Amino acid sequence: MTSPEPTREQLLERIQQLEIRVRKLSEEKANLHLVLHMVELLSPIAGVEGFLDSLMAALGGSLGGTNVEIYYLYEDSIHYANLLGDRHIVQAIQDPLVNEVFKRHQFLEQQSDCPHTLLQNDAIAVACTWVMPLLVGNEFIGAIKMSDLLGTASMRDYLMPFFRHMALILNNEIKTRIAEAANKAKSNFLATMSHEIRTPLNGILGMAQLLARPDGTPEKHQEYAHTILTSGQTLLSLLNDVLDFSKIEASKLDLCCTGTNPREIINEVMMLFAESARLKNLEMTGIWKYPAEPFYLLDATRVKQMLNNLVSNAIKFTEKGTVHIEATELNRIADQVEIEFAVTDTGIGIPEDKHRQLFKPFTQLDASASRRYSGSGLGLSIVQRFATLMQGEVGVESLAAGGSRFWFRIKCTVTEPHRSQKQTVDFGLLPKAPSVLIVDDNPLNCAVMKTLLEHEGLQTLSVTTGEDALAFLTKESVDLVFMDCMMPEMDGFAVTRKIREHECNKRHIPIIALTGSVFLEDQQQCFVAGMDDVLTKPIQCEELRTKLQQWINFTPKTILEPQSDSNTKVSNVICADDQAALEQQFQLLDTALANNMFSAVSHFKKLQKMLAAQSLTPQLTILNAFINNLQFEEAHQQLQQLRRSLDWIRSES
């Protein structure tokens, strides 16, 4: 059977459906050509700015409207760009539509009835404003706002995947820029570190060669030794900065919190940098502004390190004026407290647009070869990372005209003063100096430890293997053992475990680990093995003395206590003719100590001879100990007390 002929109405309906389909296909084709045209106008390899410029030009030229605005996230800030060429960082988004998209990460559309459009005479506004979120998967990276468009819903549907693709390109451009900046910063850092390491290394090697020459005088040898010591401490500081940063990056840095008074931290930092400030004629002041004397549960070592970094920078970048340290409580809820530490200086100042770079790792504001100020570029970054670990933040207030205030805030808990829990072995009044066994397979390290300990007046014995240490301790008794951790065949951990197994009911021998590792998990391994404490290489004399006092209750011979009041007046038995010469010798020694000159040694010996007949033995002994230990600041203070002990020398007004 043949189909009946369609009626007129059916034909008209089919024609209408075909017209709708043709219009839809035409609209889809137009939208597709529009998208393809915009893609052709893009410059995805021109960097972030070039890509944004081409994107805004493509949108404005193809879709019309009055403006195109792009908000995108970069380095924890919101950056803004528009079709008119405006570029800046947004502190807070003022546009309510854009703000809503940043909160909800969803497309928003709003009809536009603006009088400045060409549709102002129409009864119904057909223009609209679109805000498109820029999403890469579930990651929100920004938004694009297009104002007063003459678009359709189908156009919007075609633009959705287009903008997802644009978001992917923009995200890649941003990450490429970040990677390039990081690589450049690290390259600059390596170049800087090469210089910073080679400079003190040159001092060490150069002075060591001069020290080895047979024609040097004792005074010159003292100067060479001081240069070697100072250069070595500079190298150690650089190494500690790099290791601290690497531990933070690897999330291996743990805080060790104890009850601490912030006033003590400020005082210690001021004492540490007093001489550096004095050499530059800077006034250094410090204050704990909170009236009470509370103790807080915090990592005093890390807080001190943070404050050290800020004070060191302040002194470095300040030629005249003051460096002021202050700390105070900001907020307290129950026993939870926020504390602010701040360092203010009268130095060169920092332009506001450079503030964001200050806390970036491996970054220096002046990284050129001709830069005036040296440094690794890690100090402020470490301060920021430590503050973050302590649930706090950092900041800076400074202008190019001069003066800066760097601060960090940390959260902690009010607590009681910390009391050490370590065991102290008390040998009472020993008939002879305590004996110490050194276990180290490296002859140089062993020789250094023997020299340091014997200089403090202890008896030392040494072995180079774990087996020899066990054999020795089965026959002999010692008061303390310094144990190297990394040794061939039997390491220090295994030796310690064997010693603890054989002790049984015998006397516990304190064992202090000698290790070059600063990682907490490595040091924890020492305690697990049965060691009592850890001494980190390179050995610092003051830290070594602290360990000796702590574990064998022994006062090293170089640490002398005053035997009498150093302000006690001495009878004036010096003839008037000798007073001028004596005063001149005092002045020579005073100048040498004030300027850290090793000629202080010879000046002191002459002064000692001139005062040999006086009752000043305790004061001279203390002064001699300070000078021999290169503690020039303490020696300078002791010299002032010695001068006041003489009736014929007037106190300075």
Side-chain angles (χ1 to χ4, degrees), residues 65-67 69 95 97 110-130 145-150:
T66 56
N67 198 5
E69 301 167 274
D95 190 305
L97 284 179
Q110 184 180 71
Q111 284 193 343
S112 181
D113 194 14
C114 302
H116 58 267
T117 68
L118 297 178
L119 305 172
Q120 57 184 335
N121 296 324
D122 286 13
I124 301 176
V126 294
C128 59
T129 294
W130 289 350
K145 178 182 179 182
M146 293 162 286
S147 302
D148 309 322
L149 298 178
L150 303 179

Side-chain angles (χ1 to χ4, degrees), residues 311-331:
V311 174
S312 176
N313 281 348
I315 292 176
K316 181 194 301 184
F317 295 108
T318 303
E319 296 302 325
K320 61 180 181 179
T322 62
V323 173
H324 178 64
I325 310 170
E326 65 179 34
T328 188
E329 276 192 17
L330 293 182
N331 302 299

Side-chain angles (χ1 to χ4, degrees), residues 518-587:
V518 295
F519 291 101
L520 185 63
E521 59 269 25
D522 295 331
Q523 296 188 8
Q524 188 64 33
Q525 188 179 357
C526 299
F527 297 112
V528 172
M531 300 180 187
D532 299 282
D533 208 339
V534 176
L535 189 62
T536 305
K537 301 174 186 176
I539 307 301
Q540 299 290 316
C541 291
E542 290 302 323
E543 187 178 4
L544 175 62
R545 290 167 184 158
T546 300
K547 302 297 184 186
L548 293 174
Q549 290 177 297
Q550 189 169 17
W551 288 106
I552 59 176
N553 197 27
F554 174 70
T555 302
K557 69 177 184 180
T558 54
I559 300 180
L560 300 172
E561 298 297 332
Q563 301 298 316
S564 63
D565 184 3
S566 40
N567 287 322
T568 303
K569 296 294 181 180
V570 180
S571 301
N572 180 11
V573 295
I574 303 174
C575 64
D577 293 339
D578 294 334
Q579 290 184 12
L582 188 57
E583 171 61 17
Q584 182 182 12
Q585 195 58 41
F586 263 108
Q587 189 61 45

Side-chain angles (χ1 to χ4, degrees), residues 350-635:
I350 306 160
E352 191 171 358
D353 61 340
K354 300 291 186 181
H355 289 185
R356 294 181 53 80
Q357 299 181 37
L358 290 170
F359 298 97
K360 293 181 182 178
F362 311 113
T363 300
Q364 293 178 314
L365 295 187
D366 181 8
S368 64
S370 60
R371 69 187 187 279
R372 181 179 180 184
Y373 302 101
S374 61
S376 66
L378 286 177
L380 292 178
S381 174
I382 290 174
V383 173
Q384 183 184 50
R385 303 301 177 94
F386 282 160
T388 302
L389 282 175
M390 299 176 190
Q391 303 176 32
E393 58 182 341
V394 298
V396 58
E397 300 151 17
S398 181
L399 297 174
S404 301
R405 182 179 186 270
F406 284 84
W407 53 265
F408 63 88
R409 296 166 185 166
I410 60 174
K411 295 181 180 179
C412 51
T413 305
V414 178
T415 186
E416 295 297 322
H418 172 69
R419 293 178 175 83
S420 174
Q421 300 299 317
K422 290 186 177 179
Q423 175 186 2
T424 299
V425 181
D426 187 356
F427 290 94
L429 296 175
L430 295 169
K432 60 179 182 178
S435 58
V436 178
L437 175 65
I438 305 165
V439 186
D440 198 320
D441 65 303
N442 187 300
L444 179 60
N445 290 338
C446 201
V448 170
M449 281 299 297
K450 282 179 64 68
T451 304
L452 290 174
L453 291 169
E454 289 172 0
H455 182 68
E456 303 298 342
L458 290 100
Q459 300 182 66
T460 63
L461 309 103
S462 63
V463 294
T464 57
T465 68
E467 292 84 352
D468 290 345
L470 290 174
F472 179 87
L473 291 173
T474 56
K475 300 177 182 179
E476 304 291 338
S477 176
V478 295
D479 300 320
L480 181 66
V481 176
F482 283 101
M483 182 73 68
D484 183 30
C485 294
M486 307 303 293
M487 294 186 294
E489 298 182 12
M490 181 181 287
D491 60 27
F493 307 115
V495 176
T496 301
R497 285 191 289 267
K498 290 287 185 181
I499 293 173
R500 296 305 182 217
E501 290 173 4
H502 294 154
E503 278 182 347
C504 297
N505 296 324
K506 298 179 182 178
R507 180 177 62 85
H508 178 88
I509 303 174
I511 300 177
I512 299 178
L514 290 175
T515 176
S517 175
V518 295
F519 291 101
L520 185 63
E521 59 269 25
D522 295 331
Q523 296 188 8
Q524 188 64 33
Q525 188 179 357
C526 299
F527 297 112
V528 172
M531 300 180 187
D532 299 282
D533 208 339
V534 176
L535 189 62
T536 305
K537 301 174 186 176
I539 307 301
Q540 299 290 316
C541 291
E542 290 302 323
E543 187 178 4
L544 175 62
R545 290 167 184 158
T546 300
K547 302 297 184 186
L548 293 174
Q549 290 177 297
Q550 189 169 17
W551 288 106
I552 59 176
N553 197 27
F554 174 70
T555 302
K557 69 177 184 180
T558 54
I559 300 180
L560 300 172
E561 298 297 332
Q563 301 298 316
S564 63
D565 184 3
S566 40
N567 287 322
T568 303
K569 296 294 181 180
V570 180
S571 301
N572 180 11
V573 295
I574 303 174
C575 64
D577 293 339
D578 294 334
Q579 290 184 12
L582 188 57
E583 171 61 17
Q584 182 182 12
Q585 195 58 41
F586 263 108
Q587 189 61 45
L588 289 173
L589 180 55
D590 184 277
T591 302
L593 291 174
N595 292 281
N596 288 340
M597 299 170 61
F598 282 90
S599 58
V601 176
S602 58
H603 290 316
F604 170 74
K605 290 180 180 179
K606 293 179 182 178
L607 180 66
Q608 192 176 32
K609 289 181 180 179
M610 298 176 73
L611 294 175
Q614 309 306 310
S615 302
L616 295 169
T617 301
Q619 293 94 321
L620 289 172
T621 302
I622 296 169
L623 181 57
N624 184 39
F626 283 139
I627 293 176
N628 286 338
N629 289 324
L630 308 182
Q631 296 173 274
F632 290 148
E633 183 179 351
E634 293 84 350

